[in-house]
Amino acid sequence: MSAPLGYDLIVQQLIPGYASLARLAVALLAASPLASRTGAGVLVAGCGTGAELVEARAQRPDWQLTAIDPSAEMLAAAQKRLGSEGIQWRQTTVEELQADACFAGALSVLVLQSLPDDGTKLAFLTALARSLEPGGQLVLVDLMAPERSPLQNQVDAAWLGFQRASGLEAEPRDLEPLTQGLHPIGEARLNALVNAAGFSDPARIFQALSYEGFLLQRRP
């Protein structure tokens, strides 16, 4: 995914609650038993333009951060925003990183939704679990497939209304990486995947329309 001009503002106008989501994700991880340790190693998988990194640096400047993203454009935008102090930058995927039990915690925001459910989602989650110390926690946030409801049309209309009220004026081509070619799954499927990957059952910690966040813990 490239980093369009004004990417962070576009995401805030597109996704309800996004402006405070990075702050919440970092606070949750900082309260976990392992990542609460001074100097804990934390992985930001799919760091994008660095929203979670900004919050991590503000809340836990002692963390040893590793930021990965397959997009050179996204990494360049994040590096320009944050510099290099205290952050190890890698243009790679978590599967290619091959970091076994290296991290006390991890953050993955709006990444799983872009992966097809043909084994790719499971490979991503398995690699994340493998990268964590036993007991390490992951904050996972993604677009989820909505449950069947007679009110779903109203929810969809409300999402468009939220975007208009937020002043979203992005060009369609700038929205494509965020709205097209996505592969959301339902909660039952997510439970099956995270358990197969080596995590405990997910605990929901955030929901705004069809965007949901979960706290997961690697099993011992």
Side-chain angles (χ1 to χ4, degrees):
M1 181 189 295
S2 62
L5 184 65
Y7 172 87
D8 295 289
L9 177 59
I10 290 172
V11 178
Q12 289 181 32
Q13 294 171 330
L14 185 68
I15 302 174
Y18 183 82
S20 60
L21 182 54
R23 186 167 302 149
L24 172 62
V26 171
L28 280 163
L29 200 58
S32 68
L34 298 187
S36 63
R37 301 177 306 197
T38 300
V42 171
L43 173 67
V44 182
C47 67
T49 57
E52 292 79 41
L53 294 165
V54 169
E55 277 298 328
R57 179 173 281 178
Q59 294 187 40
R60 291 297 304 265
D62 60 294
W63 274 355
Q64 300 301 306
L65 297 168
T66 297
I68 66 172
D69 201 292
S71 166
E73 292 84 0
M74 286 292 192
L75 277 178
Q79 284 181 291
K80 183 177 180 180
R81 184 178 186 180
L82 287 129
S84 58
E85 185 177 352
I87 302 175
Q88 181 181 9
W89 302 96
R90 297 281 301 275
Q91 184 183 350
T92 187
T93 64
V94 68
E95 296 92 331
E96 295 170 346
L97 188 63
Q98 296 183 342
D100 292 342
C102 288
F103 301 104
L107 301 165
S108 173
V109 177
L110 307 181
V111 178
L112 188 68
Q113 64 188 32
S114 65
L115 305 176
D117 192 13
D118 58 0
T120 308
K121 286 186 189 293
L122 179 58
F124 173 75
L125 291 167
T126 300
L128 278 173
R130 189 176 64 240
S131 75
L132 292 170
E133 301 174 43
Q137 293 183 357
L138 164 69
V139 178
L140 182 74
V141 181
D142 280 286
L143 177 69
M144 298 288 287
E147 301 294 332
R148 291 183 179 180
S149 167
L151 300 178
Q152 188 58 45
N153 288 340
Q154 180 181 342
V155 173
D156 294 341
W159 189 17
L160 294 175
F162 169 84
Q163 294 168 22
R164 288 193 296 268
S166 299
L168 183 63
E169 297 178 351
E171 295 292 329
R173 64 177 178 272
D174 288 337
L175 292 176
E176 285 180 2
L178 298 166
T179 60
Q180 304 297 317
L182 302 181
H183 307 275
I185 55 176
E187 186 174 353
R189 180 58 178 157
L190 178 66
N191 286 342
L193 286 172
V194 299
N195 276 279
F199 288 106
S200 59
D201 289 338
R204 183 183 287 103
I205 48 86
F206 171 88
Q207 182 168 2
L209 300 180
S210 293
Y211 287 91
E212 299 183 41
F214 301 92
L215 185 63
L216 313 174
Q217 183 165 301
R218 178 182 171 177
R219 292 196 296 267

